[in-house]
Amino acid sequence: MNKIKVMSVFGTRPEAIKMAPLVKKLENDERFESIVCVTAQHREMLDSVLEMFKIKPQYDLNIMAHGQTIIDISNKVLKGVDEVIKECKPNIVLVHGDTSTTLNGALAAFYNKIPVGHVEAGLRSYDIYSPFPEEANRKLTGAIATLHFAPTKTNEENLLSEGINKEKIYVTGNTVIDALLSVVDNNHVFEEMALNNIDFENKKIILLTTHRRENWGVPMKNIFSAIIELVNQNEDVEVVFPMHKNPSIRELAYTYFNEYKQRIHLIEPLEYVEFANLMAKVYLIMTDSGGIQEEAPALGKPVMVLRTETERPEAVESGTVKLAGIEKDRIVDVANKLINYKEAYKTMTQAANPYGDGMACSRIIEVIAEKVHILRGGI
Ligand code: UD1
Ligand code: UDP
């Protein structure tokens, strides 16, 4: 019996982190031939994950350019993935989540009549412009996918309400938990020297990340002003900000935080193992990231989401995540409560993990193996 040819397409840091444990499982299972095609929509931030998980892609489209637009990325991914599919003729193409790589990778497969498996399917904010362009990307990918791997029941319900056939939806948990559990270690010693000099015991360390397109401009300025106010108001607070590689975010950060080097630590993006263990050590996380909203609850870390909505309501409902918005005063108020009122803080630290048990990848590959007759027979 021929092996099932599974081609995984990804290109940004979060897709790589969440697809890596799946790729490793496929590589180690003799029922499958695993082919990895990275678009390299991100370069250094992707390579760091590939290196950590020891993944050597068979195809690397190497598309990243500074100042790239969504249209640039889309054109290059569509054309590049099309060529790879024509060369290696997979039985199924797996894409992840909601980036421009996701949608255009799926579209290339669809135009070649290759079934698409959508990992992390069914997340919805119900605002087509927020997050932008991710909400549209995941809806459009869902519309052309053959198999939908939904992390939670809520995600499944979203898909059902859009008329997706229940038999094509599988609730698997989120593969990010599989990844997280493989790297968090209480005895981790940081390689990043700046982190070894931080006093996690006696200071309240806030971990900040921000990158979302809809936060560029005024919202990001509000967030940075709020951080400065918090540092000024609370002597025991320090901030660690591993900056996304996007130059416009970095320039703004340097402008705002230049005078606060002792208390606001601007560092390079961290390797995943370093970042996961940093999350486990800090007092509070402030972020607009999607993935971090899923990981932090599993570590029992309070998260303030610097957005006006979230497509990940499960952790808000279970209490470890709070929507803090993008207005300076509200961000300062919410953070000050968590910094200064033990009870408010404590109620957010109960480890609750609505996103899975670390077995999502195993479930996904069993579905692919089970559905092989459909995949082999085409659509
Ligand atoms: C992309 C995704 C977003 C995802 C985010 C995760 C789209 C449209 N956006 O946004 O959904 O949440 O990744 O981080 O798909 N850069 C580097 N090196 C890197 C990575 C980025 O220099 O390793 C710089 C480049 O100048 C690049 C810029 O960052 O042009 C922006 O990258 P891009 O992929 O266009 O958008 P993100 O904001 O990263
Ligand atoms: N992350 C990392 N290093 C960092 C910052 C984040 O490895 O310096 C990880 C984080 O643990 C999560 C993922 O990157 O798994 C989130 O990526 P990002 O915030 O860029 O994208 P999003 O999840 O918002 O799409």
Side-chain angles (χ1 to χ4, degrees):
M1 186 71 175
N2 290 340
K3 293 189 177 203
I4 307 164
K5 238 185 198 188
V6 181
M7 181 168 136
S8 304
V9 177
F10 51 92
T12 65
R13 169 173 64 191
E15 293 166 85
I17 290 169
K18 291 166 164 181
M19 287 297 276
L22 187 54
V23 167
K24 297 312 287 180
K25 274 226 175 302
L26 287 166
E27 281 175 359
N28 292 323
D29 188 322
E30 57 185 23
R31 292 173 293 174
F32 300 99
E33 179 185 344
S34 170
I35 300 160
V36 172
C37 171
V38 293
T39 64
Q41 174 178 336
H42 285 171
R43 188 71 274 175
E44 306 91 306
M45 283 160 54
L46 169 76
D47 290 343
S48 151
V49 182
L50 294 175
E51 198 178 317
M52 209 212 97
F53 284 94
K54 298 189 173 53
I55 292 173
K56 291 196 169 55
Q58 284 82 352
Y59 297 91
D60 187 335
L61 305 181
N62 196 25
I63 69 158
M64 194 193 88
H66 293 293
Q68 64 195 3
T69 65
I70 297 170
I71 306 289
D72 297 331
I73 303 167
S74 303
N75 283 335
K76 290 191 225 173
V77 172
L78 190 57
K79 181 107 184 62
V81 175
D82 176 50
E83 285 168 8
V84 173
I85 286 175
K86 287 194 161 66
E87 186 178 312
C88 74
K89 299 186 176 56
N91 297 113
I92 182 169
V93 169
L94 298 181
V95 295
H96 180 280
D98 54 19
T99 71
S100 295
T101 287
T102 314
L103 173 59
N104 292 286
L107 201 52
F110 177 71
Y111 285 159
N112 282 283
K113 296 210 171 154
I114 304 292
V116 172
H118 188 197
V119 182
E120 195 174 282
L123 280 68
R124 296 291 183 270
S125 70
Y126 293 102
D127 177 349
I128 202 80
Y129 284 108
S130 186
F132 178 84
E134 291 82 4
E135 177 74 359
N137 286 348
R138 53 197 172 215
K139 282 185 83 166
L140 295 167
T141 303
I144 54 177
T146 304
L147 300 175
H148 306 260
F149 300 110
T152 68
K153 286 291 285 177
T154 306
N155 304 144
E156 180 187 41
E157 281 156 21
N158 291 340
L159 292 168
L160 291 172
S161 75
E162 288 172 17
I164 307 279
N165 185 337
K166 191 172 171 48
E167 286 174 11
K168 293 180 167 184
I169 308 171
Y170 299 86
V171 179
T172 59
N174 197 311
T175 60
V176 79
I177 303 298
D178 304 33
L180 184 72
L181 296 180
S182 73
V183 297
V184 171
D185 172 5
N186 287 339
N187 299 318
H188 180 78
V189 179
F190 292 112
E191 282 178 15
E192 168 66 55
M193 280 318 291
L195 298 179
N196 284 326
N197 294 330
I198 287 174
D199 184 355
F200 291 100
E201 298 300 316
N202 299 305
K203 302 279 183 195
K204 288 181 176 144
I205 306 298
I206 297 177
L207 172 59
L208 171 69
T209 83
T210 173
H211 72 83
R212 299 235 78 85
R213 261 162 215 262
E214 64 277 11
N215 277 351
W216 293 359
V218 173
M220 210 164 286
K221 290 179 181 169
N222 293 345
I223 292 167
F224 290 176
S225 303
I227 291 287
I228 290 173
E229 192 148 322
L230 285 168
V231 165
N232 285 336
Q233 288 177 3
N234 299 280
E235 276 181 7
D236 56 348
V237 163
E238 288 188 22
V239 178
V240 181
F241 182 12
M243 290 178 295
H244 190 284
K245 279 280 182 193
N246 190 322
S248 49
I249 296 165
R250 299 163 81 89
E251 279 158 27
L252 194 70
Y254 286 125
T255 311
Y256 268 73
F257 299 137
N258 196 27
E259 291 165 36
Y260 295 87
K261 285 184 185 137
Q262 301 303 319
R263 309 264 308 278
I264 302 175
H265 307 277
L266 303 184
I267 59 174
E268 288 303 309
L270 291 165
E271 245 193 26
Y272 184 53
V273 62
E274 293 267 282
F275 188 81
N277 285 290
L278 177 61
M279 277 194 289
K281 272 200 143 88
V282 297
Y283 182 81
L284 168 67
I285 299 173
M286 292 170 65
T287 189
D288 63 9
S289 162
I292 295 168
Q293 288 177 62
E294 295 154 345
E295 293 163 332
L299 300 169
K301 286 294 159 181
V303 181
M304 286 172 52
V305 174
L306 306 170
R307 291 169 53 176
T308 50
E309 43 54 45
T310 180
E311 59 287 302
R312 294 165 167 93
E314 298 87 352
V316 177
E317 282 153 21
S318 69
T320 36
V321 168
K322 218 179 209 79
L323 263 184
I326 46 170
E327 299 300 332
K328 179 183 156 199
D329 290 346
R330 179 161 147 76
I331 295 170
V332 171
D333 282 352
V334 174
N336 266 332
K337 255 194 206 95
L338 294 171
I339 291 165
N340 296 307
Y341 296 98
K342 274 195 185 133
E343 280 312 307
Y345 181 79
K346 219 174 125 205
T347 55
M348 278 183 79
T349 57
Q350 315 302 326
N353 174 9
Y355 295 111
D357 56 2
M359 300 295 285
C361 298
S362 302
R363 292 188 187 99
I364 291 170
I365 69 171
E366 288 315 316
V367 172
I368 297 172
E370 188 193 319
K371 295 289 162 187
V372 66
H373 53 285
I374 301 176
L375 305 177
R376 284 225 162 90
I379 309 165

